Amino acid sequence: MKTKDRALEIVARLRRRYPDPRSELHWQTPWQLLAATMLSAQCTDARVNAITPELFRRWPDPAAMALADTARVEEVIHSAGFFHQKAKSLVGAAGIIVERHGGRVPAAMADLTALPGVARKTANIVLSNAFGLQEGIAVDTHVRRLAGRMGLTRSQDPARIEKDLMALVPRPDWGDFNHMLVLFGRQVCPARSPRCAACELADICPKRGVKNA
């Protein structure tokens, strides 16, 4: 099976398994999604969801966060790890959003990636989920691992992986593809013990890097 055909079949089968995939982060506004996604770097979604209620209670929008004492933000997000840099990025990003974008999270890739602590992965998640804009595919740990395992890329570089996947996956599916791979990676295809015998992709997956597949 050609790589393009395999990618389309993977999307179709994952779509049947996850007809309405969503981020497991809890959010209500574009700012909340941006902040939660920034916190999720090298941190579990469950931990972020435990932190954000208090974070959003104290600083519910960019205007409030822009005026926050960074040390106080650090106290609230401490358990997310890398809290010094994350707090600095949150306050800095909020300040730019207030100064340059009228207090509204921008809906453009260039504007989002100009914010401190925001790279393409975070920007893609915000654009897709908050604004319905498919500008790319968010490449996180699960996407990087499964894309390689499924033979959709040979690269380990997130930028190259994103380009490879964008050429294979239909644009309307870009946002959901991230969610589907994250869910599938957690439920069926974890890093150390993939459940290949129970996997609906087993017959078309090359299982690269899987021992005793």
Side-chain angles (χ1 to χ4, degrees):
M1 179 180 285
K2 294 181 179 180
T3 304
K4 177 71 172 182
D5 293 334
R6 183 166 62 250
L8 294 176
E9 184 61 22
I10 288 170
V11 171
R13 294 188 191 186
L14 290 180
R15 179 69 70 186
R16 287 196 290 271
R17 182 182 180 92
Y18 305 111
D20 187 27
R22 297 177 183 272
S23 170
E24 294 189 319
L25 294 172
H26 297 165
W27 63 280
Q28 293 182 326
T29 67
W31 165 250
Q32 290 185 356
L33 177 60
L34 175 62
T37 307
M38 291 169 70
L39 289 174
S40 70
Q42 296 183 300
C43 179
T44 66
D45 288 353
R47 171 52 54 189
V48 173
N49 289 337
I51 293 169
T52 49
E54 179 63 14
L55 183 74
F56 299 150
R57 185 188 72 79
R58 295 194 188 191
W59 305 287
D61 51 39
M65 180 60 76
L67 299 175
D69 182 335
T70 304
R72 296 291 178 264
V73 178
E74 289 179 359
E75 292 175 0
V76 174
I77 69 170
H78 187 277
S79 63
F82 302 96
F83 58 92
H84 292 302
Q85 186 57 52
K86 289 180 179 180
K88 182 179 179 181
S89 294
L90 284 169
V91 175
I96 293 174
I97 290 171
V98 170
E99 293 171 8
R100 300 181 188 174
H101 305 289
R104 294 177 178 272
V105 173
M109 177 65 73
D111 291 333
L112 285 170
T113 54
L115 301 175
V118 179
R120 278 192 64 91
K121 184 199 82 170
T122 296
N124 277 324
I125 289 172
V126 172
L127 289 171
S128 175
N129 293 274
F131 299 110
L133 301 174
Q134 310 305 326
E135 297 298 328
I137 296 175
V139 178
D140 55 20
T141 302
H142 291 286
V143 173
R144 183 175 61 212
R145 177 172 57 79
L146 266 65
R149 183 171 284 180
M150 294 174 178
L152 303 181
T153 184
R154 292 187 178 276
S155 179
Q156 290 296 312
D157 175 62
R160 180 69 253 178
I161 293 170
E162 183 181 7
K163 289 181 180 179
D164 290 343
L165 294 178
M166 287 167 65
L168 297 170
V169 176
R171 186 165 188 158
D173 295 310
W174 285 357
D176 285 350
F177 193 63
N178 168 268
H179 296 323
M180 291 190 292
L181 285 189
V182 169
L183 293 168
F184 197 73
R186 290 172 177 167
Q187 298 171 4
V188 180
C189 195
R192 296 187 179 182
S193 54
R195 294 185 282 278
C196 296
C199 175
E200 54 260 64
L201 305 179
D203 62 313
I204 59 172
C205 178
K207 306 178 182 63
R208 290 179 181 161
V210 179
K211 296 180 180 179
N212 303 318

